[in-house]
Amino acid sequence: MAIRVVQWTTGNVGKQSVIAITRDPRFELVGCYAWSPDKAARDVGELCRIQPLGVTATHDVDALLALRPDCVIYNPMWPSVDELVRILGAGIDVVTTAAFINGRRLGPDRQRLVEACKRGGSSLFGTGINPGFIELLTIVVAGISDRIDKVTINEAAYTMGYDSPATEKAAGFGRPIDDPDLQRVTTEGTGVFGEAVAMVADALGVELDVIVCEAEYAKTTEDLDLGSWRIAAGCVAGVGASWQGRVGDRTIVELNVRWKKAPTLEPDWKIEDGHVIEVQGRPTVRTTMQFLPPPDFEATSLADFMVLGHIMTAMPAVNAIPAVVAAPPGIVSYADLRLPLPRGLVRL
């Protein structure tokens, strides 16, 4: 029988999730949560700019829970613990791309999620492209070595075409370069990467003593118009965050991100978009990930190209649904699941 799925929001990532769910015979879309009132009572296909699906979006959470879906695919930008507790407590599994891997940074709110899973017999799983899929790939790559000394994940991106002030301001973008609060802001705003460090350590069977964040910044030399917001000259337009999991004084797992929004920074950062994974050990393994459009891809703007990023964020969550539905109750990560498989995606 098909897995009954409710889609939670139809933003950029949610749209790609809906498209994938409706194409996949493993799933049946039975409902959709509309975050904004103007999207309620409209066909989900219309909201996602595809053919009508015969499923109407609603702002009524009780009505969605009454559908008794097997899983909610939860795609807001940031998680609401109250919403997740309500869904999980109703006995519905959740896969999410909303800045969640294992909730270790949430303090008492994590225990609320654990208790909701126990009460509902449900599972909660978080992923995305990074953090998420890249860490899964890292865990797989590490399996080729008979000794592991250190695992490093590097992400670099020139993000001028990425217009998401809600996520970027939270990381420190746009603040004066001498803002004494910058380190705290970046640590809080990129905290999900600390969760990813913990997940990799779990997969390696290592208990970390501490996970720390070290950040550095670069300023733009000119005013930036980013579409929905602006960054003034002299303010932060480059953020680098290094999340490090340590045992004693030794870093075992390191996850580095370096994001650049301006063509010219001070100091100037030369970066190459993509991800580099390195497992130092015997042997040392180094792999590079780059994401390219297929030959038949049509794009006339940067916004069109961003669709690829939305797909890469949505698909790890969609493909994980069967494994999460089969998982025992609780907060689960890639270290706990059977390998999610990309079934039903080959076009014959």
Side-chain angles (χ1 to χ4, degrees), residues 106-151:
L106 296 180
D109 276 342
R110 187 181 192 278
Q111 187 58 34
R112 291 179 60 203
L113 295 171
V114 170
E115 291 171 357
C117 289
K118 186 182 300 184
R119 186 166 62 250
S122 51
S123 302
L124 170 60
F125 172 79
T127 187
I129 179 59
N130 187 34
F133 180 81
I134 294 297
E135 284 67 39
L136 171 61
L137 183 61
T138 302
I139 293 165
V140 173
V141 167
I144 206 170
S145 302
D146 75 349
R147 189 190 77 230
I148 298 171
D149 300 325
K150 182 182 179 183
V151 173

Coordinates of all heavy atoms in Angstrom, one line a residue, residues 106-151:
L106 N 18.7 22.1 21.1 CA 17.4 22.7 21.5 C 17.1 22.7 23.0 O 16.1 23.2 23.4 CB 16.3 21.9 20.8 CG 16.2 22.0 19.3 CD1 15.1 21.2 18.7 CD2 16.2 23.4 18.8
G107 N 18.0 22.1 23.8 CA 17.8 22.1 25.2 C 16.5 21.4 25.6 O 16.2 20.3 25.1
P108 N 15.7 21.9 26.5 CA 14.5 21.3 27.0 C 13.5 21.0 25.9 O 12.7 20.0 26.0 CB 13.9 22.3 28.0 CG 15.0 23.1 28.4 CD 16.0 23.2 27.3
D109 N 13.5 21.8 24.8 CA 12.6 21.5 23.7 C 12.9 20.1 23.0 O 12.0 19.5 22.5 CB 12.7 22.6 22.6 CG 11.9 23.8 23.0 OD1 10.9 23.7 23.8 OD2 12.1 24.9 22.4
R110 N 14.1 19.7 23.1 CA 14.4 18.4 22.5 C 13.7 17.3 23.3 O 13.1 16.3 22.7 CB 15.9 18.1 22.5 CG 16.2 16.8 21.8 CD 17.7 16.4 21.8 NE 18.0 15.4 20.9 CZ 17.9 14.1 21.1 NH1 17.4 13.7 22.3 NH2 18.2 13.2 20.2
Q111 N 13.6 17.4 24.6 CA 12.9 16.4 25.4 C 11.5 16.4 25.1 O 10.8 15.4 25.2 CB 13.2 16.7 26.9 CG 12.7 15.6 27.8 CD 13.2 14.2 27.5 OE1 14.4 14.1 27.1 NE2 12.4 13.2 27.7
R112 N 10.9 17.6 24.8 CA 9.5 17.7 24.4 C 9.2 16.8 23.2 O 8.2 16.1 23.0 CB 9.1 19.1 24.2 CG 9.0 20.0 25.4 CD 8.6 21.4 25.0 NE 7.3 21.4 24.4 CZ 6.8 22.3 23.5 NH1 7.6 23.4 23.2 NH2 5.6 22.3 23.0
L113 N 10.2 16.9 22.2 CA 10.1 16.1 21.0 C 10.2 14.6 21.3 O 9.4 13.8 20.7 CB 11.1 16.6 20.0 CG 11.0 18.0 19.5 CD1 12.2 18.4 18.6 CD2 9.7 18.2 18.6
V114 N 11.1 14.3 22.1 CA 11.3 12.9 22.5 C 10.0 12.3 23.2 O 9.6 11.2 22.8 CB 12.5 12.7 23.5 CG1 12.6 11.3 24.0 CG2 13.8 13.0 22.7
E115 N 9.5 13.1 24.0 CA 8.3 12.6 24.7 C 7.1 12.5 23.8 O 6.2 11.6 23.9 CB 7.9 13.6 25.9 CG 9.0 13.5 27.0 CD 8.8 14.6 28.1 OE1 7.9 15.5 27.9 OE2 9.5 14.6 29.0
A116 N 7.0 13.5 22.8 CA 5.9 13.4 21.8 C 6.1 12.1 20.9 O 5.1 11.5 20.6 CB 5.9 14.6 20.9
C117 N 7.3 11.8 20.6 CA 7.5 10.6 19.8 C 7.1 9.3 20.6 O 6.5 8.4 20.1 CB 9.0 10.4 19.4 SG 9.6 11.6 18.2
K118 N 7.4 9.3 21.9 CA 7.1 8.2 22.8 C 5.6 8.1 22.9 O 5.0 7.0 22.8 CB 7.7 8.4 24.1 CG 7.6 7.2 25.1 CD 8.2 7.5 26.4 CE 9.7 7.8 26.3 NZ 10.4 8.0 27.6
R119 N 4.9 9.2 23.1 CA 3.5 9.3 23.3 C 2.8 8.8 22.0 O 1.8 8.1 22.1 CB 3.1 10.7 23.7 CG 1.6 10.9 24.0 CD 1.4 12.2 24.7 NE 1.7 13.3 23.8 CZ 2.8 14.2 24.0 NH1 3.6 14.0 25.0 NH2 3.0 15.2 23.2
G120 N 3.2 9.2 20.9 CA 2.6 8.9 19.6 C 3.1 7.6 18.9 O 2.6 7.2 17.9
G121 N 4.2 7.1 19.5 CA 4.8 5.9 18.8 C 5.4 6.3 17.4 O 5.3 5.6 16.4
S122 N 5.9 7.6 17.3 CA 6.2 8.2 16.0 C 7.7 8.5 16.0 O 8.4 8.5 17.0 CB 5.4 9.5 15.8 OG 5.6 10.3 16.9
S123 N 8.2 8.7 14.7 CA 9.6 9.0 14.5 C 9.8 10.4 13.9 O 9.0 10.8 13.1 CB 10.3 7.9 13.6 OG 10.1 6.7 14.2
L124 N 10.9 11.0 14.2 CA 11.3 12.4 13.7 C 12.7 12.3 13.0 O 13.6 11.8 13.7 CB 11.2 13.4 14.8 CG 11.8 14.8 14.4 CD1 11.0 15.4 13.3 CD2 11.8 15.7 15.7
F125 N 12.8 12.7 11.8 CA 14.0 12.6 11.0 C 14.3 13.9 10.3 O 13.4 14.5 9.6 CB 14.0 11.5 10.0 CG 15.1 11.4 9.1 CD1 16.3 10.9 9.5 CD2 15.0 11.9 7.8 CE1 17.4 10.8 8.6 CE2 16.0 11.8 6.9 CZ 17.3 11.3 7.3
G126 N 15.5 14.5 10.4 CA 15.8 15.7 9.7 C 17.0 15.5 8.7 O 17.9 14.8 9.0
T127 N 16.9 16.2 7.6 CA 17.9 16.1 6.6 C 17.9 17.3 5.7 O 17.3 18.4 6.0 CB 17.8 14.8 5.7 OG1 18.9 14.7 4.9 CG2 16.5 14.8 4.9
G128 N 18.4 17.2 4.5 CA 18.5 18.3 3.5 C 19.8 18.0 2.7 O 20.2 16.8 2.7
I129 N 20.3 19.0 2.0 CA 21.6 18.7 1.3 C 22.8 18.8 2.2 O 23.6 17.9 2.3 CB 21.7 19.6 0.0 CG1 23.0 19.3 -0.7 CG2 21.6 21.1 0.3 CD1 23.1 17.9 -1.2
N130 N 22.9 19.9 2.9 CA 23.9 20.0 3.9 C 23.5 21.1 4.9 O 23.3 22.2 4.6 CB 25.3 20.5 3.3 CG 26.4 20.5 4.4 OD1 26.4 19.6 5.2 ND2 27.3 21.4 4.2
P131 N 23.3 20.7 6.2 CA 23.5 19.3 6.7 C 22.4 18.3 6.3 O 21.3 18.7 6.0 CB 23.5 19.5 8.2 CG 22.6 20.7 8.5 CD 22.8 21.6 7.3
G132 N 22.9 17.1 6.2 CA 22.0 16.0 5.8 C 22.6 15.0 4.9 O 23.4 14.2 5.3
F133 N 22.4 15.2 3.6 CA 22.9 14.2 2.6 C 24.4 14.2 2.6 O 25.0 13.1 2.4 CB 22.3 14.5 1.2 CG 22.8 13.6 0.2 CD1 22.2 12.3 0.0 CD2 23.8 13.9 -0.7 CE1 22.6 11.4 -1.0 CE2 24.3 13.0 -1.6 CZ 23.7 11.8 -1.8
I134 N 25.0 15.3 2.6 CA 26.5 15.3 2.6 C 27.1 14.5 3.7 O 28.1 13.9 3.6 CB 27.0 16.8 2.6 CG1 26.6 17.5 1.3 CG2 28.5 16.8 2.7 CD1 27.1 16.9 0.0
E135 N 26.5 14.6 4.9 CA 27.0 13.8 6.0 C 26.7 12.3 5.8 O 27.6 11.5 6.2 CB 26.3 14.3 7.3 CG 26.9 15.6 7.9 CD 26.5 16.8 7.0 OE1 25.4 16.8 6.4 OE2 27.4 17.6 6.8
L136 N 25.6 12.0 5.2 CA 25.4 10.5 4.8 C 26.5 10.1 3.9 O 27.1 9.0 4.1 CB 24.0 10.4 4.2 CG 23.8 9.0 3.5 CD1 23.8 7.9 4.6 CD2 22.4 9.0 2.8
L137 N 26.8 10.9 2.9 CA 27.9 10.5 1.9 C 29.2 10.4 2.7 O 30.0 9.5 2.4 CB 28.0 11.6 0.8 CG 29.0 11.3 -0.3 CD1 28.7 10.0 -1.0 CD2 29.1 12.5 -1.2
T138 N 29.5 11.3 3.6 CA 30.7 11.2 4.4 C 30.8 9.9 5.2 O 31.9 9.3 5.2 CB 30.7 12.4 5.4 OG1 30.7 13.6 4.7 CG2 32.0 12.4 6.2
I139 N 29.7 9.5 5.8 CA 29.7 8.3 6.5 C 30.0 7.1 5.6 O 30.8 6.2 6.0 CB 28.3 8.1 7.2 CG1 28.2 9.1 8.3 CG2 28.2 6.7 7.8 CD1 26.7 9.3 8.8
V140 N 29.4 7.1 4.4 CA 29.7 6.0 3.5 C 31.2 6.0 3.0 O 31.8 5.0 3.0 CB 28.8 6.2 2.2 CG1 29.1 5.2 1.1 CG2 27.3 6.0 2.6
V141 N 31.7 7.2 2.7 CA 33.1 7.3 2.3 C 34.0 6.8 3.4 O 35.0 6.1 3.1 CB 33.4 8.8 1.9 CG1 34.9 9.0 1.8 CG2 32.7 9.2 0.6
A142 N 33.7 7.1 4.6 CA 34.6 6.7 5.7 C 34.7 5.1 5.9 O 35.6 4.6 6.5 CB 34.1 7.3 7.0
G143 N 33.7 4.4 5.3 CA 33.7 3.0 5.4 C 34.7 2.3 4.6 O 34.9 1.0 4.7
I144 N 35.6 3.0 3.8 CA 36.6 2.4 3.0 C 37.9 2.3 3.7 O 38.9 1.6 3.3 CB 36.7 3.1 1.7 CG1 37.3 2.2 0.6 CG2 37.6 4.4 1.8 CD1 37.2 2.8 -0.8
S145 N 38.1 3.0 4.9 CA 39.3 3.0 5.6 C 39.3 2.1 6.8 O 38.3 1.9 7.5 CB 39.6 4.5 6.1 OG 39.6 5.4 5.0
D146 N 40.5 1.6 7.1 CA 40.6 0.7 8.3 C 41.1 1.5 9.6 O 41.2 0.9 10.6 CB 41.4 -0.5 8.1 CG 42.9 -0.3 8.0 OD1 43.3 0.9 8.0 OD2 43.7 -1.2 8.0
R147 N 41.4 2.7 9.4 CA 41.8 3.6 10.5 C 41.3 5.0 10.1 O 41.5 5.5 9.0 CB 43.3 3.7 10.7 CG 43.6 4.4 12.0 CD 45.1 4.7 12.2 NE 45.6 5.8 11.3 CZ 46.6 5.7 10.5 NH1 47.3 4.6 10.4 NH2 47.0 6.7 9.8
I148 N 40.6 5.7 11.0 CA 40.1 7.0 10.8 C 40.7 8.0 11.8 O 40.5 7.8 13.0 CB 38.6 7.1 10.8 CG1 38.0 6.2 9.7 CG2 38.0 8.5 10.7 CD1 36.5 6.0 9.8
D149 N 41.4 9.0 11.3 CA 42.1 10.0 12.2 C 41.2 11.2 12.3 O 41.1 11.8 13.4 CB 43.4 10.3 11.7 CG 44.4 9.1 11.6 OD1 44.3 8.2 12.5 OD2 45.2 9.1 10.6
K150 N 40.6 11.7 11.2 CA 39.8 12.9 11.3 C 38.9 12.9 10.0 O 39.3 12.5 8.9 CB 40.7 14.1 11.3 CG 40.0 15.5 11.3 CD 40.9 16.6 11.3 CE 40.2 18.0 11.3 NZ 41.1 19.1 11.2
V151 N 37.7 13.5 10.2 CA 36.8 13.6 9.1 C 36.5 15.1 8.9 O 36.2 15.8 9.9 CB 35.5 12.9 9.4 CG1 34.4 13.2 8.3 CG2 35.7 11.4 9.5

